[in-house]
Amino acid sequence: MLASFFFLDAKRLIGRRFSDASVQRDVKLWPFKVIEGPGDKPMIVVTRRGEEKQFTAEEISSMVLAKMLEIAKAYLCSPVTNAAITVPAYFNNSQRQATKNAGVTAGLNVMRVINEPTAAAIAYGLDKKAGWYSKRNVMVFDLGGGTLDVSLLTIGDGVFEVKATDGDTHLGGEDFVNRIVDYCVEQFKEMHNSDISGNPRALRRLRNACEKAKRRLSFLSTTDIEIDCLDQSNDFYLNITRAKFESLNKDLFSKCMEPVQNCLRDAKMDIRSVHDVVLVGGSSRIPKMQQLLMNVFEGKELCKGINPDEAVAYGAAVQAAVLIGNGNGKLQDFTLLDVTPLSLGVGTAHGDTKHIMTVVIPRNTRIPVKKHKVLTTAFDNQTVIGFPIFEGESTTTLKNNYLGIFSLDDIPPAPKGVHRFNVCFNIDANGILSVSAEDISTGQKKEITIKSDRRTLGIEKMR
């Protein structure tokens, strides 16, 4: 495959801005070109026959889904229209909406957007009948190529209840591969006095070899990375040990344990109360990762009985079957109770203190949910009030993720605090947010649904 046709990690770009720090870090490592597009959207550049084309991550994802739709139709010999799509549990609102949009663009009716570890828990619960007759607390550790998700669920009597979720949407197997790639680039430079960091074709070949080496090191103590003519006529050969791999990624491996501790803390659950720890995602096979998890849970044996590559898709299929009423007797009693991963609120001010994060829906609140908060004007004779919307855990909006803003105009002049506004946050079953605000005295109301492109919010003026 030519480098100009090769791209990966669309999940890390979807719903993000080009200026995001994480995107800027990745751009330097990817063996393909990403540029800034309209509205600060990252655009993936593809060159074919001398013609350059640009695609958003949503468009790339929709192409993948369209291909999957084509395969499903061919296999089933019947039309396929409905779908349940999974996302990392720690995806924010913009990333969820963008993923749903990709499904719609691919021609699918997206019935539900499901958190990946929750889908995996469904697969585990049904496969093992875990907690079907007695409650069990299950932690799902989902470490894939680009993201890490940790969810703690209670499964019992056919009910899958998420107690807490945490994670990192920018930590996964690709980061471990990047460390090997960086190491190999430096080794090649020392061997041949040649820097291949600006050579997309060489980087692509090196990345493929490093990815294979990472996988082999999950069951071998040492392996070789060997590439003929990596740069011009220079071959590359390197023997890498599992110990070296673990050393290169020591800080990242330790970082993977932080969401585990956060999840236990948020759920107010002791490690001894967790009955099962389920491994999901290809990178959960890494021996060092399993060792660190066992250390956290004081030597508890980890559950490896389900296929870590297929568990999420299996759970999503089960949920889709329930949604369209095709479940068998067991599935008809199946209930899923999920939570929102991030706190949602409004930016407010109090006196000289600005940029206050006023939380309306705290993180790990069960969804779907609708919550209200009454706010007032901040100063005398205020005729316009804005409602900037954020998600995140900081007490200041400056450190949280900005989602959008809307305002109520033509407020009759009055002393501060006189006018009161009923702000309503509504999260649907897909985890997608809509917000409304109503002037209690005049009845003026506006409502928005937060879309994936934060610069083109859908705003509807209502009576």
Side-chain angles (χ1 to χ4, degrees), residues 171-385:
L171 179 60
E174 291 298 332
D175 297 289
F176 310 146
V177 173
N178 287 341
R179 292 289 176 89
I180 308 176
V181 171
D182 289 344
Y183 176 67
C184 289
V185 168
E186 289 302 315
Q187 292 298 305
F188 188 84
K189 197 172 184 178
E190 289 182 14
M191 293 174 188
H192 303 289
N193 195 28
S194 176
D195 186 0
I196 61 169
S197 59
N199 184 335
R201 184 175 182 274
L203 282 178
R204 175 181 62 80
R205 295 180 66 207
L206 181 59
R207 171 176 283 276
N208 287 344
C210 290
E211 170 66 29
K212 292 174 183 176
K214 182 203 74 171
R215 296 187 182 202
R216 289 195 296 268
L217 288 172
S218 288
F219 55 88
L220 297 173
S221 60
T222 182
T223 189
D224 296 331
I225 298 174
E226 189 170 4
I227 308 171
D228 295 332
C229 300
L230 179 59
D231 182 49
Q232 298 176 8
S233 60
N234 295 321
D235 300 335
F236 179 67
Y237 172 83
L238 179 75
N239 177 268
I240 186 168
T241 64
R242 182 186 292 176
K244 183 62 179 179
F245 171 64
E246 292 173 354
S247 173
L248 290 171
N249 289 285
K250 184 178 180 180
D251 60 322
L252 295 181
F253 289 168
S254 297
K255 192 177 180 183
C256 288
M257 295 302 107
E258 293 175 10
V260 175
Q261 300 289 0
N262 293 341
C263 223
L264 289 164
R265 184 196 64 227
D266 291 348
K268 298 179 175 60
M269 193 175 294
D270 183 79
I271 57 172
R272 296 175 185 82
S273 301
V274 178
H275 298 101
D276 305 309
V277 180
V278 180
L279 300 180
V280 180
S283 294
S284 69
R285 293 186 175 97
I286 296 173
K288 185 65 175 180
M289 200 64 63
Q290 295 182 6
Q291 179 191 328
L292 290 172
L293 268 175
M294 289 182 70
N295 290 346
V296 170
F297 287 93
E298 300 179 346
K300 178 186 288 292
E301 194 67 29
L302 307 178
C303 299
K304 308 174 187 177
I306 59 173
N307 187 319
D309 298 317
E310 299 175 359
V312 171
Y314 175 40
V318 170
Q319 176 71 350
V322 172
L323 289 171
I324 62 174
N326 282 354
N328 58 30
K330 180 169 66 174
L331 296 186
Q332 288 171 1
D333 297 326
F334 164 96
T335 304
L336 174 62
L337 305 174
D338 216 330
V339 299
T340 181
L342 297 166
S343 298
L344 293 145
V346 184
T348 60
H350 183 73
D352 294 332
T353 306
K354 299 179 180 179
H355 310 297
I356 300 171
M357 175 70 168
T358 300
V359 175
V360 179
I361 299 180
R363 62 176 298 188
N364 288 320
T365 297
R366 186 183 297 174
I367 60 173
V369 64
K370 180 185 287 188
K371 289 204 173 188
H372 298 262
K373 177 81 73 174
V374 175
L375 303 176
T376 65
T377 48
F379 52 88
D380 295 337
N381 300 319
Q382 187 173 342
T383 58
V384 178
I385 183 168

Side-chain angles (χ1 to χ4, degrees), residues 13-117:
L13 282 174
I14 198 163
R16 289 191 180 274
R17 294 170 291 196
F18 181 78
S19 59
D20 286 351
S22 61
V23 174
Q24 289 301 305
R25 286 195 302 270
D26 283 337
V27 164
K28 298 173 184 176
L29 298 169
W30 282 324
F32 54 91
K33 189 177 178 183
V34 178
I35 63 172
E36 182 179 359
D40 200 22
K41 271 198 172 186
M43 305 295 292
I44 299 168
V45 180
V46 176
T47 304
R48 184 184 183 190
R49 295 174 183 172
E51 183 181 355
E52 189 174 277
K53 290 189 177 182
Q54 300 175 9
F55 298 94
T56 64
E58 291 93 321
E59 289 172 323
I60 298 296
S61 296
S62 72
M63 293 176 195
V64 174
L65 290 170
K67 182 62 178 178
M68 291 174 65
L69 177 60
E70 180 185 319
I71 293 169
K73 286 179 178 178
Y75 179 80
L76 297 170
C77 297
S78 64
V80 177
T81 54
N82 298 317
I85 298 179
T86 63
V87 295
Y90 226 56
F91 253 20
N92 63 33
N93 184 82
S94 300
Q95 292 167 310
R96 290 171 187 274
Q97 183 66 62
T99 303
K100 186 177 181 182
N101 291 348
V104 173
T105 303
L108 291 166
N109 172 35
V110 183
M111 303 176 68
R112 188 64 51 86
V113 176
I114 310 168
N115 289 336
E116 289 171 359

